[in-house]
Amino acid sequence: MNTLNDFFYSLKKIIKDRLGISQLPIQINNEIEKLHDLWKNRKKNDIRKEYTGTLSDYNQQEINLIGGTTIRFTYDNDIIRKIINDKKYKVQKKSLRDLMDNILSENYLNSDWIYEIASYLQPNWVHDDDNIILIYFAPMDFYFIQDGKHRFTEALSKQDLSKELNIYIVSSDDCLRAMPYSDDVLLYRILCKIQNMLTFLGLQ
């Protein structure tokens, strides 16, 4: 697994390759160096003072960055549910087919978590909550299931692609207070800045 240092080095190369140039503009190079320094000089990862949860119910999501680097973000499900209520997110009816064809990426659906959950699913499993919560991870234009993987996998195992599911889709920008670790928040903000840079360069 590549490190985040590798990610920043790869980012420069990928930008140069996509723009067809041999050297980055000074302003872009300096901005990447500034973000890299921000990450390298961060304090030891800890629980943020702003975090008010207990981490009794959480999900860790892996995100694949350019250059082969994989990172992992932690989100508190209890606080995500509070955010849904506070922001007045509306439940949406989505078919299993719609989720698979138009929302969740092929790479995400082909990752190991579905097979792992399917291996221990029980018939007529009783769920405390029928809703499935998706987070739209804005910096990577990527959707993932924050809560409800068992419900999704159960529906998938029955091969009923027309089955309608109760879905909440929550923006990652609204979820910062559900991130308990300081490193996660810092990295998220760095990725947002990189996304803005790539958009400015016409690479998004």
Side-chain angles (χ1 to χ4, degrees):
M1 183 184 296
N2 291 340
T3 67
L4 275 164
N5 289 332
D6 295 321
F7 163 68
F8 286 103
Y9 297 135
S10 297
L11 178 62
K12 291 182 179 182
K13 182 179 185 306
I14 288 170
I15 291 175
K16 287 189 293 186
D17 289 346
R18 290 185 180 177
L19 292 178
I21 56 179
S22 60
Q23 189 172 353
L24 283 178
I26 294 176
Q27 182 181 357
I28 299 300
N29 186 76
N30 289 346
E31 181 63 20
I32 294 174
E33 288 292 333
K34 178 181 174 182
L35 294 174
H36 193 182
D37 288 341
L38 189 62
W39 177 254
K40 288 190 294 186
N41 296 323
R42 71 195 184 283
K43 295 180 180 179
K44 181 180 178 181
N45 191 26
D46 56 5
I47 299 291
R48 300 188 303 133
K49 293 179 181 178
E50 299 86 350
Y51 173 68
T52 59
T54 62
L55 267 186
S56 58
D57 182 10
Y58 66 93
N59 176 53
Q60 289 185 318
Q61 179 60 47
E62 287 190 347
I63 306 285
N64 296 318
L65 303 178
I66 57 176
T69 300
T70 300
I71 56 177
R72 181 177 292 174
F73 287 97
T74 301
Y75 289 95
D76 185 314
N77 281 330
D78 291 328
I79 295 184
I80 293 290
R81 295 184 190 103
K82 290 179 182 177
I83 291 168
I84 288 172
N85 289 329
D86 293 347
K87 297 285 186 178
K88 302 187 186 310
Y89 276 95
K90 301 296 184 183
V91 67
Q92 303 179 44
K93 294 286 188 180
K94 298 282 186 183
S95 70
L96 185 59
R97 183 185 302 278
D98 190 20
L99 280 180
M100 295 178 66
D101 290 350
N102 302 316
I103 299 177
L104 300 173
S105 72
E106 184 176 350
N107 286 340
Y108 180 70
L109 291 170
N110 288 334
S111 53
D112 292 338
W113 65 268
I114 292 179
Y115 305 103
E116 291 173 1
I117 293 175
S119 68
Y120 61 79
L121 276 179
Q122 300 295 323
N124 302 316
W125 198 319
V126 178
H127 302 289
D128 295 332
D129 185 354
D130 287 334
N131 299 319
I132 295 176
I133 301 173
L134 271 61
I135 290 181
Y136 172 63
F137 195 79
M140 305 299 295
D141 190 25
F142 170 74
Y143 294 86
F144 63 86
I145 299 174
Q146 168 64 23
D147 185 45
K149 289 181 178 178
H150 291 84
R151 294 182 283 284
F152 176 86
T153 305
E154 186 177 62
L156 186 61
S157 69
K158 295 177 181 178
Q159 293 294 304
D160 185 1
L161 298 182
S162 63
K163 178 179 176 59
E164 285 198 329
L165 303 170
N166 295 327
I167 307 294
Y168 285 100
I169 301 178
V170 186
S171 168
S172 56
D173 288 342
D174 287 337
C175 295
L176 289 179
R177 65 185 172 105
M179 302 173 84
Y181 299 115
S182 56
D183 276 13
D184 285 5
V185 174
L186 174 61
L187 183 54
Y188 180 81
R189 288 174 172 156
I190 288 173
L191 291 177
C192 287
K193 289 181 180 295
I194 290 172
Q195 180 200 41
N196 291 337
M197 179 195 307
L198 295 177
T199 300
F200 173 77
L201 293 171
L203 300 178
Q204 282 285 82

